[in-house]
Amino acid sequence: MSLKHSYTLIAPFYDALLIRATQGARQRSLAALPPMPGRILLAGVGTGLDLPHLPAAHQYIGLDLNHAMLRRSLPRGAHRDYAATLGDAQRLPFADHSFDAAVLHLILAVVPEPADCLAEIARVVRPGGSVLIFDKFLRRGQSALLRRIANPLMRRIATRLDVVFENLLDARPEFSLESDEAALAGGWFRMIRLRRA
């Protein structure tokens, strides 16, 4: 089953599973958005759980691979300058340097090729722009045996459990790490802020 199809099946339950568990971390991450009005990419916007926590100053483009998820995001974006776009976060349909910032909440560990996703973000965010990440990652050298055993099944259904953020960052010299904080589950979920050189 492809991720596109599995997320169509779980779209009706997605909010119930995630809204309470992730709301506080989302709010803390989004507080780091730049204060000056700009164009912000919400990569993997899903059902729009970030939208109620976004400052009204910006123009937001929410991208997702799944129609069912995007449809659910529209009511949440009604009071923002928000446009929903169908597309693949690993092959973004946007021009180089066309965003002032990007939000990657629970997407890098979902896409099949997270390195491709981060490379595309590096392409579309302007120099000096920021990238806000909230997701689950292994740390380099962390054994996490149960997560690794469960990963082949889980990555086919919903999410990867084996993404090492440090490996992704090493491949993207365009980014500097500004902050990296534990968010949930004893540090398995992290809030990360990057700056585009």
Side-chain angles (χ1 to χ4, degrees):
M1 177 183 296
S2 73
L3 282 176
K4 188 173 183 179
H5 291 108
S6 64
Y7 272 88
T8 298
L9 293 174
I10 67 172
F13 314 105
Y14 186 84
D15 291 359
L17 293 171
L18 287 182
I19 195 164
R20 258 191 213 148
T22 64
Q23 181 174 332
R26 288 174 189 276
Q27 289 172 324
R28 291 193 307 277
S29 174
L30 294 169
L33 279 171
M36 296 299 292
R39 190 166 187 246
I40 313 295
L41 173 62
L42 308 172
V45 69
T47 62
L49 293 180
D50 289 327
L51 289 165
H53 311 298
L54 294 171
H58 303 295
Q59 176 191 16
Y60 298 100
I61 308 297
L63 177 128
D64 207 278
L65 187 64
N66 185 282
H67 271 295
M69 292 285 197
L70 277 178
R71 269 196 312 274
R72 289 175 176 271
S73 78
L74 293 173
R76 289 192 169 110
H79 302 293
R80 298 285 181 272
D81 183 353
Y82 172 66
T85 301
L86 189 68
D88 186 345
Q90 299 168 116
R91 288 176 289 282
L92 293 172
F94 307 115
D96 295 358
H97 306 153
S98 54
F99 291 94
D100 298 294
V103 175
L104 282 72
H105 283 182
L106 304 180
I107 185 65
L108 283 175
V110 169
V111 294
E113 299 298 334
D116 293 348
C117 179
L118 196 58
E120 280 291 273
I121 295 299
R123 181 181 66 77
V124 303
V125 171
R126 66 166 177 78
S130 58
V131 177
L132 308 179
I133 298 167
F134 164 57
D135 218 324
K136 56 200 160 307
F137 298 111
L138 294 178
R139 293 196 181 268
R140 189 174 280 152
Q142 184 179 5
S143 61
L145 184 60
L146 290 177
R147 288 183 223 166
R148 292 182 188 276
I149 290 170
N151 184 62
L153 173 63
M154 288 302 296
R155 73 184 293 172
R156 293 180 64 84
I157 298 170
T159 188
R160 294 181 56 158
L161 304 176
D162 66 341
V163 178
V164 177
F165 181 73
E166 288 73 16
N167 294 345
L168 299 179
L169 186 59
D170 284 352
R172 298 268 49 101
E174 308 95 326
F175 288 125
S176 59
L177 180 66
E178 290 198 327
S179 67
D180 182 354
E181 303 172 30
L184 294 170
W188 182 19
F189 286 77
R190 292 153 63 185
M191 289 184 303
I192 295 166
R193 188 170 71 249
L194 304 178
R195 183 70 57 190
R196 173 73 163 82

